[in-house]
Amino acid sequence: MTDAVPGTNAHYIVVGDNPLAYRLTRALSTRFRGTVTVVVADRSSRYAQDMLGLNLDDDGKPRRDGDGKLLELVSLLETERVDEGALKEAGADRAAAAALVNQDDGANVALALLLRETWPGLHVVVRIFDESLGRHLQRDHCTVLSSSAFAAPEIVGAALRRQISLPVRGGRRLVVVSDEVTSLHPHMVLFATDRDGAVTALPSDKEIANGLTSKLLLAEAAEDDVLPEVKADLEPDEDEVDPHRRRRVGEYLRTLAITSGRNLLLAAGVLLVVVLIGAVTMQLATGSSFAGALYEAVLPSLAGSDPDHDANPVVKATQVVLTIVSVAVIPWVTGVVVDGVVRTQRLLDAGSPRRPMADHVVVVGLGDLGTRIVRSLDRRGVPVVAVDVDESARGIAVARSRDVPVVVGDARRAATLHAAYVDTAQAIVVVTSGGAITIGIGFAARSIPRSKDAPPLRTVLRVFDKDLSRRIRREIPDSVGLSSSFLAAPSFAAAMIGQDVTATVPYLDRVLVLAEVLIMEGSQMARMRPDDVDLDGSGEHGGDDAKSRLLAIRTRSHPSGGGGVTIEPSEGRYLNAGDTVVVIATTAGLSRVREMARPPLRM
């Protein structure tokens, strides 16, 4: 059983070799100043080498402590099989926490069970897509998270240009809005940019005065204020909210009309003309009513009738002609109907768009993240078309079960994009796994001519490299580059150090986290004023990126009753041990706030 404590100089284990593993390792080693052993299958891979690069400073030189000693923040353990021996070699017996962030749910669960059995006191953070499986695994010392669950709502919000609501207790309504919204009272500036497009998080008044332009604000809304449309909470499980939808009869008939409408109308028209001509001829020959003549005409046309030897010769001739014509026409009509039904069923099963679409969102890439995005958009009532090159992709079955149109094909080809009606879409979200493929689809979508009445196309791309994301924004108008690992890493890191991150606020290549921090006995914060928690990234409070703002205080609950209420920060009340502060901060700022909220380590 480990007695390690998360925090400065704590040791962590990360099992994985992917963007999330890199960003998580970076946060733990450089932001939270711990040591990390990363277990990988191949130390020569791109992300493994990037993680080793964290041992270098900004000038490319080895990091050193204040005494000039070399610092090895990150070490790699290469092994083909992650077993008890490998985990022990990685330091599981002295680690504060371990993160299992490979994309294989089964392998992650197996390792989590092994760690729980061998080192029951070790806190384990597990990346799992299947949340129903995760619920069975999550318990004390085990936290189950999904990177796509954190990223999907933010990507959907970016695609729809919709705002974010921050979950601060106490009846407060805080909403992240653009600086163009003037109807709400601004509370603080979250992000600002300079003329070159460089982003500053939580800028100070001095920085704003030096020419920065605010882009995202945190606004406060009164009870009677109408809020901008905000993002939904994280989506529930598929089996909880996605019962199979029965197709309506009207939808089936419309699809049948699309697949066989012209031929069916032609065949039915020919048969109708034949019957009417026969009915008129019989009426003139017999002098009977038109209804009776129509009855006499329909019988030989559709089912044949018994011969009537006493009938008028004209009637007999007409019946013979109708019977002969019907022998050719009826099979034709039957064939058209059968062909139409078969084609309709195939079209419905394939899920292709059955009619022109407009003002919808095209989602390209139906893996874990794309599946969540499709579900989120559909649950909001936003029209969506799903696209993937692989017909067996995970999200295609989900899309079809929700009657979401599906196009199977390479989205870099104009034919595929036209089939998804990109020319009339409001946004395209590309979350494929390959960087070059994602960028190629983004450029291909922008090359499709827009319809006259269509809004400008919003392009949201899954891009890992923030410098590449910045360059793409310059080349593709109205585009956003986001990464699921970029959005999820702060929450994974916070879970490993025992911190509760309740929301993230992304903007271009920066992200802020909303977190709740418990003030412990003997900590520096226990005798602070609330405004001392506001870090500006300078002086004793940390580096240039250590910034935070205090949003609320939840007072300590007393055993005898009282307390446990959320109040506004007030200069007239000192912070007390047992209080919980709600802050919005950079990841470095959260690390500094957490240090101030816990007692100093005893040497």
Side-chain angles (χ1 to χ4, degrees), residues 166 168 172 174-179 184-192 201-205 208 214-220 505 512-514 534-535 547-552 568-569 582-585:
L166 295 187
V168 177
R172 302 183 65 187
L174 297 179
V175 183
V176 179
V177 297
S178 66
D179 54 4
L184 300 178
H185 175 67
H187 189 72
M188 67 179 64
V189 178
L190 299 182
F191 293 102
L202 293 174
S204 63
D205 293 339
I208 292 293
S214 60
K215 292 297 182 182
L216 281 185
L217 308 173
L218 184 62
E220 187 126 19
V505 182
L512 294 172
V513 293
L514 180 74
D534 290 340
L535 308 181
K547 298 184 177 183
S548 71
R549 300 288 186 272
L550 181 60
L551 297 180
E568 292 277 346
V582 181
V583 297
I584 187 165

Side-chain angles (χ1 to χ4, degrees), residues 40 65 100 121 198 238 305 385 398 460 475 493 496 503 536 540 546 567:
V40 298
D65 61 13
L100 313 176
E238 179 79 15
S305 59
V385 175
V398 175
V460 181
E475 295 292 331
M496 292 190 72
D536 60 5
E540 63 176 356
I567 63 174

Side-chain angles (χ1 to χ4, degrees), residues 84-95:
E84 181 178 345
L87 293 170
K88 186 174 183 178
E89 185 178 352
D93 55 347
R94 60 185 175 87

Side-chain angles (χ1 to χ4, degrees), residues 342-489:
V342 172
R343 293 174 60 191
T344 297
Q345 193 61 47
R346 288 179 178 176
L347 186 60
L348 290 173
D349 291 340
S352 302
R354 297 183 285 274
R355 58 182 180 276
M357 299 183 66
D359 200 30
H360 59 290
V361 177
V362 178
V363 179
V364 183
L366 298 180
D368 294 351
L369 180 56
T371 300
R372 289 188 181 274
I373 293 172
V374 168
R375 288 172 53 201
S376 179
L377 289 167
D378 187 53
R379 291 182 69 234
R380 293 166 177 261
V382 177
V384 57
V385 175
V387 181
D388 200 287
V389 70
D390 183 6
E391 191 169 3
S392 62
R394 179 198 298 264
I396 286 186
V398 175
R400 288 172 175 168
S401 71
R402 303 185 69 94
D403 287 343
V404 170
V406 175
V407 175
V408 178
D410 188 346
R412 291 171 294 182
R413 300 180 57 187
T416 303
L417 295 175
H418 281 299
Y421 296 99
V422 168
D423 57 324
T424 55
Q426 63 168 303
I428 181 171
V429 178
V430 186
V431 288
T432 53
S433 56
I437 295 176
T438 299
I439 297 170
I441 294 172
F443 281 113
R446 301 298 304 193
S447 67
I448 300 296
R450 303 289 293 165
S451 300
K452 293 182 179 179
D453 300 331
L457 182 66
R458 176 77 155 178
T459 305
V460 181
L461 305 178
R462 181 185 191 178
V463 180
F464 172 75
D465 189 282
K466 65 179 182 180
D467 292 328
L468 177 59
S469 174
R470 188 181 301 113
R471 296 187 185 101
I472 290 175
R473 290 198 302 271
R474 294 173 181 172
E475 295 292 331
I476 302 179
D478 198 12
S479 64
V480 177
L482 293 174
S483 165
S484 59
S485 61
F486 168 74
L487 297 170

Side-chain angles (χ1 to χ4, degrees), residues 23-24 117 121 142 146 174 185 191 201 213 282 318 332 358 448 475 519-520 531 553 575 602-603:
R23 293 190 186 276
L24 178 56
E117 177 182 319
C142 186
S146 168
L174 297 179
H185 175 67
F191 293 102
T213 302
M282 288 184 180
T318 303
W332 179 25
I448 300 296
E475 295 292 331
I519 303 175
M520 303 174 67
D531 55 347
I553 305 167
L575 299 172
R602 295 180 179 180
M603 303 302 292

Side-chain angles (χ1 to χ4, degrees), residues 39-82:
V39 182
V40 298
D42 181 8
R43 66 182 300 116
S44 65
S45 67
R46 169 192 171 183
Y47 295 113
Q49 290 301 305
D50 287 345
M51 286 184 274
L52 273 182
L54 296 172
N55 290 318
L56 305 178
D57 59 21
D58 294 337
D59 297 326
K61 299 179 180 179
R63 295 182 185 271
R64 297 179 182 272
D65 61 13
D67 298 328
K69 295 177 60 177
L70 288 176
L71 290 176
E72 188 181 28
L73 300 178
V74 179
S75 60
L76 296 183
L77 174 62
E78 184 180 30
T79 178
E80 294 183 359
R81 180 182 179 184
V82 185

Side-chain angles (χ1 to χ4, degrees), residues 269-279 297 301 318 321-322 325-326 329:
V270 170
L271 182 60
L272 179 62
V273 169
V274 170
V275 170
L276 290 177
I277 293 176
S301 299
T318 303
V321 172
L322 288 175
V325 172
S326 65
V329 174

Side-chain angles (χ1 to χ4, degrees), residues 141-186:
H141 300 298
C142 186
T143 303
V144 177
L145 300 174
S146 168
S147 59
S148 58
F150 283 104
E154 311 296 350
I155 293 176
V156 168
L160 301 179
R161 299 180 176 87
R162 295 177 182 175
Q163 311 306 325
I164 302 172
S165 175
L166 295 187
V168 177
R169 303 181 187 180
R172 302 183 65 187
R173 300 203 300 170
L174 297 179
V175 183
V176 179
V177 297
S178 66
D179 54 4
E180 299 174 352
V181 177
T182 59
S183 59
L184 300 178
H185 175 67

